[in-house]
Amino acid sequence: MSSQYVFLCLALGVGLFFPFSVARAATMPNVVINELLWMGSSTSSSDEWLELHNTSSEAVDLSGWSLTKLSGGNSVTMLTLPAGTTLVPDGYFVIAHNATENSRLARVPDLVSSSASLVNSKLQITLRDSAGTLIDTADDGSGSPLAGSYTSGSVWKSMERNPSGADGTLKESWHTASVSSGFDDATKEFGTP
């Protein structure tokens, strides 16, 4: 009897007595909801924005993709991205509630829509492609947002995605911003739009 045969029989026998499973790591979607300033800014509580990130090396056509939010416990469409919207490889796409003149954002957002309205509790935003397929989810929709911080009148910190945060419904997929970059006033707002 060959030693390879004996090893295979032992390995199979051990597997019968000590079953094991291999955990599969979640895979990061090609496009994720990457950052949210859900509480507004020192300018206005409506100075909210969110950022999409293309994690792939290919451009992604976002025409007809939609973002949903929770309203009364139901997921409702917040906004639909217009035709011709493309996200470049490893690119970012900022969607803001306010235009630059009414915002602390130092850059012009890629899309401004008054429909881009975020809540401060039970925040759950989903990203769906033009066929309605769920691509990504930010937050678990229960209680306070999973990250981000707001201190009335003094600090506004965004909710940022961790590089390994494949499942956006888990707290460990997010952190509170500790850097201020991309704002016209770097003393109160923290995030990296």
Side-chain angles (χ1 to χ4, degrees):
M1 190 180 307
S2 78
S3 60
Q4 291 172 331
Y5 178 77
V6 170
F7 176 76
L8 179 60
C9 288
L10 285 174
L12 289 174
V14 169
L16 293 174
F17 293 105
F18 302 103
F20 63 92
S21 62
V22 177
R24 293 185 184 197
T27 311
M28 187 74 83
N30 284 349
V31 179
V32 296
I33 302 166
N34 195 59
E35 187 172 1
L36 305 98
L37 191 72
W38 48 260
M39 73 295 295
S41 75
S42 59
T43 297
S44 166
S45 61
S46 68
D47 188 17
E48 303 162 327
W49 51 264
L50 62 91
E51 174 186 84
L52 303 178
H53 178 216
N54 181 353
T55 64
S56 77
S57 58
E58 303 287 329
V60 178
D61 181 3
L62 300 177
S63 301
W65 286 38
S66 62
L67 289 160
T68 70
K69 64 181 180 179
L70 287 180
S71 178
N74 297 312
S75 184
V76 297
T77 300
M78 180 169 53
L79 65 91
T80 301
L81 299 174
T85 303
T86 302
L87 187 50
V88 299
D90 196 35
Y92 297 87
F93 191 88
V94 174
I95 302 168
H97 183 273
N98 291 351
T100 309
E101 61 272 9
N102 299 317
S103 176
R104 285 290 185 196
L105 288 171
R107 66 171 287 209
V108 175
D110 298 291
L111 177 66
V112 175
S113 172
S114 60
S115 297
S117 178
L118 306 173
V119 295
N120 296 2
S121 67
K122 297 186 179 178
L123 169 75
Q124 185 173 71
I125 307 298
T126 65
L127 176 65
R128 297 180 180 275
D129 67 15
S130 57
T133 304
L134 178 65
I135 302 299
D136 189 36
T137 303
D139 204 77
D140 64 3
S142 65
S144 298
L146 297 176
S149 178
Y150 169 63
T151 304
S152 182
S154 62
V155 176
W156 294 259
K157 294 182 177 183
S158 72
M159 174 174 159
E160 294 181 321
R161 190 78 167 249
N162 292 328
S164 60
D167 184 347
T169 65
L170 301 176
K171 186 167 185 60
E172 56 266 22
S173 294
W174 300 94
H175 66 272
T176 298
S178 60
V179 173
S180 181
S181 175
F183 298 100
D184 62 9
D185 176 359
T187 61
K188 296 180 179 179
E189 283 80 22
F190 289 80
T192 55

